[in-house]
Structure formats: structure tokens, C-alpha cells
Amino acid sequence: MGAWWVWDARLTSELILLFLYLGFIALHASIDDPRRADRASALLAIIGSVNVLSSIFRAMVEYLHQGASVKFTGTSMHVAMQQGMYTMMLAVWLYAIAVSLLRVRCIILERECKASGI
């Protein structure tokens, strides 16, 4: 207690993920050719996604935490809380998908404008 950093596996994994994210941004900005930058950044993103999956699996271990409230076999939550949770999960997923598709559309339009010289 009282330490500014604890070498907990989850905290260290999140720190590594932060460095991978900053490296992703720096790598993409440092390469001039967009196709090469996308490929190199995609490789780093795949490496980062492996770290994200390991963090999720590590968090699923019930080490010093309460048991899961939502399971495949049943749940210990009230029905009203379940409905709110599932509604918000659906809303967040739909929002994330919509924003991602809009961003991809903007990137495609920017590249088409640069290619046509507009």
C-alpha cells in the first residue's frame, strides 16, 4: 500500500497496451505511403489485439473478485437490470459500428480526393 505503481498483471498489461497504442499512432504517422503505413500499423494492431485478449482472459479469472453476475447457465441479476444492461450493450455496439463505418467512409473519400487531385 502507498506505492505509486504495483506490478499487478492487469496494470502491467494495460501499460503495455498504452505503449502499443502510442506506437501505432507514431508508426502510422511516420510512414509517408498510406498503403505501407496501413499495413505496418495493422501488424502492430494485431499484436495489440493479442494483448487485449490476454487482458480479458486475465480479468475473467475470479482472483479476489466477486463471482460473475451474468453466466451462460443463468444469472443472479434482477430482470430490470438485465434489460437495461442488454439495451445499453446493444446501443454501444451499434454506436461503435456506426462511428467506425463513418470513419472508414471519410478515409475512403479523403483518399479519392487526393488521388483525383481535388
Side-chain angles (χ1 to χ4, degrees):
M1 292 303 238
W4 61 274
W5 181 259
V6 180
W7 286 102
D8 181 50
R10 287 176 290 160
L11 286 175
T12 307
S13 178
E14 294 301 319
L15 180 66
I16 292 170
L17 190 62
L18 173 69
F19 289 148
L20 282 170
Y21 180 63
L22 295 175
F24 175 86
I25 293 170
L27 179 65
H28 195 275
S30 66
I31 300 175
D32 293 331
D33 183 25
R35 289 179 189 245
R36 288 185 57 224
D38 290 343
R39 283 191 181 141
S41 300
L43 181 63
L44 194 58
I46 291 171
I47 294 169
S49 66
V50 171
N51 187 25
V52 169
L53 290 176
S54 70
S55 297
I56 290 171
F57 290 135
R58 202 173 294 119
M60 288 172 52
V61 175
E62 294 182 25
Y63 178 71
L64 296 176
H65 297 288
Q66 72 178 26
S69 298
V70 178
K71 300 176 185 175
F72 289 116
T73 58
T75 181
S76 61
M77 292 176 65
H78 190 268
V79 175
M81 292 180 70
Q82 283 181 5
Q83 291 172 347
M85 181 184 71
Y86 291 134
T87 301
M88 289 309 298
M89 284 175 53
L90 178 66
V92 166
W93 274 106
L94 290 175
Y95 176 76
I97 290 169
V99 168
S100 298
L101 290 175
L102 285 173
R103 179 64 183 139
V104 168
R105 182 175 176 230
C106 288
I107 291 172
I108 290 171
L109 290 174
E110 286 175 2
R111 289 186 180 178
E112 286 178 357
C113 286
K114 284 182 185 177
S116 65
I118 296 176

